[in-house]
Structure formats: structure tokens, C-alpha cells
Amino acid sequence: MLKKTKNVNLVIMLFVITLFQLTCLFTLVSKSAEEFKTSIIITFGVYILVEYLYFIIASLGLKRKGFEVELIAFLLTSIGLSITASVYPDKAIKQLVAVLMGIGGFIFLQWLLRDLKRVMALRIPAAIIGVGALLFTLAFATFTNGAKNWLYIGGFSIQPSEIVKAIFIFVGAATLEKLQSNKSLTKYIIFAFACVGCLFLMSDFGTALIFFFTFIVISFMRSGDIRTLFLVCTVVLMGGLLVLLFRPYVANRFAAYGHVWEYFDTSGYQQTRTMIYSASGGLFGVGLGNGKLRNIFAATEDLVFGVVCEEFGMIMGFLIPVTYCIIAVWAVVNSGKAKSTFYSIVGVAASAMMLFQTMLNVFGITDLLPLTGVTLPFVSKGGSSVVSCFCLLAFIKVIDTRTYASFKPDTQRPQKVQKAKSGGAEK
């Protein structure tokens, strides 16, 4: 009876999401120019088809259970696709391709993470790839909107730092799982400082802050050594102060923080318009495509939360950050049930990274924090961003033991934990 009830709930939730997607599709088609109608129909048609194929194969073919995180991701991505197709109808299919790549990465990582021996073997190559990608970006990228973090290859723009987010968590969890000592923490500190240092040199301070916050979460989960982490935080703080001292233009980027209304038509332009138009949407919004914030620069990227509030309403705007909070709480609560410390670390770290990035985005455009230019997970336009989000979702997914029927027990785990799992049967 319980199994049937869960299946019914899945079907109902999937139906509600599909209804929302079809409503957005019909709205977009009715308001789009004739030349874009076909591409928008293809975008939503393919996306809905992929959704149903995923759930049918996973639930009926692979006998998997528990699809809460996927449902949340598909809903948030639908909002992002709708806004992108509304503002840039010519880029709808391009964004769809990125979403499909993200779903592919999500499925691949679920397979990869099932074998802990394979995970441990890949930690060093992954670290080399991650640092190498950032160094390559530092050498060959061009400055875009004040940060040197974009590569342009064959007409496509790639932001390697977004993909390195998943590598950063993967390497940290695998390294600290392999060697349960201060030596392993030292290795991860070196890797983390290399990544954060590259991001600082790129002037990508928002992403650097996200990486550092994630480093603190991973290190504390594995070591619990508050003194070491306090020392690391102190060193980073001193480094940040030196950057502000010797590079005044960095400080100038945050000069409007807390005073955006004083810079209404200059450096506070984006935040003030976001707050005005977000409030004008009321509880239920002015309707998809009817907002004014969409005409402001970076409306579908940095300011997309404001577009959601204006066009979908404050209720939807409130539910989005709450959703990320629910994912983070779910990850923490269920981390103790995971079959390995590695799964616990990657799941909690990924959810923490996603939540922290959401806070930087939402609080940045509302002037509660400095505007750092980070994206809103799953919702903001950008191929690299959405692929990264689905990879992080795979880390969260592995916590859920309902996903796999045949996990191998983790021989890396301390004997005391193994006894606790078996209910003390070896006493």
C-alpha cells in the first residue's frame, strides 16, 4: 500500500510540473514572433519527453525509488527555460542542449559514484584536471563583465569554473575519505588554495567565495578540527584585505553595497530596478513576458530571481529559496543513513554549495550582500551553470539509499561505525 501511495504521489507531482510547463509553453507561443514559435515548441516538447523517459526508465525499468530531488530540479529548470525562451527566444534550443547535457552528467555521475574504488582512483586525475582547467582559463580567457572566467570556442562560451565546482567537491570528499588524518586535510588545503587563488586572479570573487565556503564545510565534516579551520579562515581574511589594499579597483566594485539607492542610475542601477520591479509583481506576478526587469542587463542571469518575483509572483519567489533550504536540510538529515562517509560528505557539501550560491544571488540583488554576479542554480541562463547544477544534484542524490538496491559496504569506514550500522551484532 505504501509503495502504491508513493507511486501515485510521483505521478501527481509529475503531472503538476507538466501542467506548469504546458502553461508556460502556450503563453510563450502566443506572445512570440512567428519565426520563434517552432523552436519554443521543440524546446518544451523535447524537455517534457526527456523527463517522462527518465522517470519511466528509472522507476519501471531500473526499479528505483525516491525522485524528490529530480522533481525539484525539473521544476526549477522549467522556470529558467521559460524565462530564457521569453527574453531570448532564439537561444531556447541552445539552453535546452545545455540542460540535456546536465541531465546526462547527472546520470553518468550516479553510475560513477556507485563504485568507491573507482572514485578513489580518480581523485588525483580529477584534481589535476580541475586546477589545469582554471590555469588554462587564467591564461587564455578574456575579461567579461569584470571577470576573466569565460572561454570562447567555436562560437560557444564556456565557464570552466562552473564545472570545477563538482570536481572541487569530488576531490575533497575522496581525499578526506581515503586518508583519515591531518595529512589528507593538508592535501585538500593545498588543492583548495590553488583553486581559490586562480579564481581571485580571474577577479571571479563570487565563485571564489563559494569554493572557500564549500572547503570549510567539507573540511569540518571530515576533521572537526576547528583550530586548523580558524587558522585557514584567518589567512584567507588577511589575503582578502591585502587584495583590497593593493588593488583598489576591487574595492570599487563593492562601493555601492548598502547604498544602492544613492547610486540609483549608476552602480546601483541593477539592484534598485530589481527591488522595484520585484515588488510590483505582487503575490501572483504580472505574467510571463509582461515584466519590465527583463529589459535590464543580465536579467536572465544575475537578476533572474527578480524576474521570477515580478512575472511569477512573490509566492513563487519565496518558494524558490525555500526549496534550496529543504534540499540542504534533507541532505544533512539523511547523511547519516548513507552507505559511506564519502557519500555523506559529497551530498552535504553539494547542497551547502547550492544553498550558499542561492544566498549570494538573492541577497546580492536585494543589497543585503554585495553583488557578486553568481547565478541562481537551475534557473539562471547559462550552459556551464546548468550542467554544474545537475552534477551537484548527482552528489546529493547518492545520499538516498532508495536510489540503489545494491550498494557495496564501505570498507574504508571506521570499524566503530560499521558496528553501529549492524546494530552491535559483533559484540
Side-chain angles (χ1 to χ4, degrees):
M1 177 63 71
L2 182 60
K3 182 178 180 180
K4 289 182 178 180
T5 302
K6 290 182 177 179
N7 289 336
V8 171
N9 291 338
L10 170 63
V11 172
I12 293 175
M13 292 177 68
L14 189 57
F15 173 77
V16 171
I17 293 174
T18 305
L19 185 62
F20 171 79
Q21 293 167 335
L22 291 176
T23 302
C24 292
L25 171 60
F26 293 143
T27 302
L28 290 170
V29 170
S30 65
K31 294 183 177 182
S32 298
E34 197 66 34
E35 58 187 299
F36 298 123
K37 292 183 186 295
T38 302
S39 63
I40 291 175
I41 292 173
I42 292 174
T43 298
F44 279 83
V46 171
Y47 186 53
I48 293 172
L49 177 62
V50 169
E51 281 180 356
Y52 277 86
L53 285 176
Y54 174 82
F55 286 114
I56 290 172
I57 293 173
S59 60
L60 300 181
L62 302 178
K63 307 297 183 183
R64 293 181 180 176
K65 304 174 184 177
F67 297 99
E68 294 86 356
V69 294
E70 290 98 320
L71 288 167
I72 290 173
F74 285 139
L75 175 60
L76 293 175
T77 307
S78 298
I79 297 173
L81 269 177
S82 300
I83 293 175
T84 298
S86 176
V87 180
Y88 302 107
D90 57 320
K91 298 181 180 180
I93 291 183
K94 186 177 179 180
Q95 185 69 10
L96 171 67
V97 171
V99 171
L100 296 180
M101 291 175 61
I103 294 173
F106 173 73
I107 295 172
F108 171 76
L109 277 177
Q110 286 188 70
W111 167 81
L112 179 70
L113 297 173
R114 293 190 65 176
D115 189 337
L116 282 176
K117 291 182 179 179
R118 182 165 54 209
V119 167
M120 299 308 163
L122 289 174
R123 73 188 189 282
I124 294 178
I128 295 173
I129 292 173
V131 175
L134 293 177
L135 290 174
F136 185 84
T137 305
L138 187 60
F140 297 101
T142 57
F143 274 96
T144 303
N145 301 326
K148 191 179 182 181
N149 57 355
W150 288 95
L151 293 173
Y152 296 91
I153 303 174
F156 291 90
S157 59
I158 303 173
Q159 192 173 3
S161 59
E162 287 290 336
I163 308 302
V164 177
K165 286 178 181 178
I167 295 177
F168 188 80
I169 293 176
F170 178 89
V171 171
T175 301
L176 297 180
E177 167 71 1
K178 180 67 177 176
L179 300 171
Q180 300 171 36
S181 64
N182 288 334
K183 183 179 178 181
S184 62
L185 181 57
T186 302
K187 288 182 177 180
Y188 188 48
I189 289 175
I190 295 173
F191 171 71
F193 268 61
C195 293
V196 174
C198 287
L199 292 169
F200 260 91
L201 292 175
M202 297 175 197
S203 297
D204 191 355
F205 303 110
T207 305
L209 190 59
I210 292 171
F211 272 50
F212 181 69
F213 174 80
T214 307
F215 160 76
I216 296 296
V217 172
I218 294 175
S219 300
F220 181 74
M221 283 188 66
R222 199 64 189 94
S223 69
D225 190 348
I226 298 179
R227 290 177 298 178
T228 301
L229 297 180
F230 179 77
L231 176 62
V232 171
C233 291
T234 303
V235 172
V236 170
L237 178 61
M238 292 177 63
L241 292 175
L242 288 175
V243 169
L244 294 176
L245 179 64
F246 291 104
R247 294 192 176 184
Y249 71 89
V250 175
N252 292 337
R253 291 184 60 185
F254 305 107
Y257 168 58
H259 307 279
V260 293
W261 296 104
E262 300 174 20
Y263 302 90
F264 188 81
D265 288 323
T266 54
S267 55
Y269 187 88
Q270 289 177 304
Q271 294 100 313
T272 53
R273 270 60 178 184
T274 298
M275 288 185 277
I276 291 171
Y277 294 138
S278 296
S280 68
L283 292 177
F284 304 104
V286 297
L288 180 61
N290 298 328
K292 296 181 179 179
L293 185 60
R294 60 179 41 246
N295 300 316
I296 305 299
F297 175 72
T300 57
E301 294 90 4
D302 303 356
L303 313 182
V304 72
F305 178 74
V307 177
V308 172
C309 292
E310 182 185 13
E311 299 191 1
F312 290 94
M314 294 298 292
I315 294 178
M316 180 68 79
F318 173 77
L319 290 177
I320 286 180
V322 168
T323 297
Y324 296 109
C325 293
I326 292 173
I327 292 176
V329 171
W330 180 90
V332 172
V333 170
N334 288 277
S335 61
K337 303 175 185 178
K339 295 296 183 179
S340 166
T341 305
F342 170 80
Y343 298 128
S344 299
I345 294 176
V346 294
V348 172
S351 63
M353 174 182 277
M354 203 175 288
L355 177 60
F356 186 67
Q357 182 171 331
T358 301
M359 292 170 59
L360 287 180
N361 178 276
V362 174
F363 294 159
I365 62 176
T366 53
D367 202 34
L368 295 176
L369 288 175
L371 183 63
T372 54
V374 300
T375 56
L376 183 63
F378 292 110
V379 184
S380 292
K381 181 178 77 70
S384 302
S385 176
V386 75
V387 171
S388 172
C389 290
F390 273 104
C391 291
L392 295 179
L393 192 73
F395 292 154
I396 299 171
K397 182 70 176 176
V398 296
I399 292 181
D400 193 351
T401 55
R402 298 172 299 171
T403 305
Y404 308 110
S406 58
F407 263 116
K408 294 180 181 180
D410 181 11
T411 56
Q412 307 279 346
R413 208 153 193 176
Q415 188 68 19
K416 187 181 295 185
V417 176
Q418 293 287 354
K419 288 183 179 182
K421 287 285 184 182
S422 60
E426 297 182 20
K427 290 183 179 179

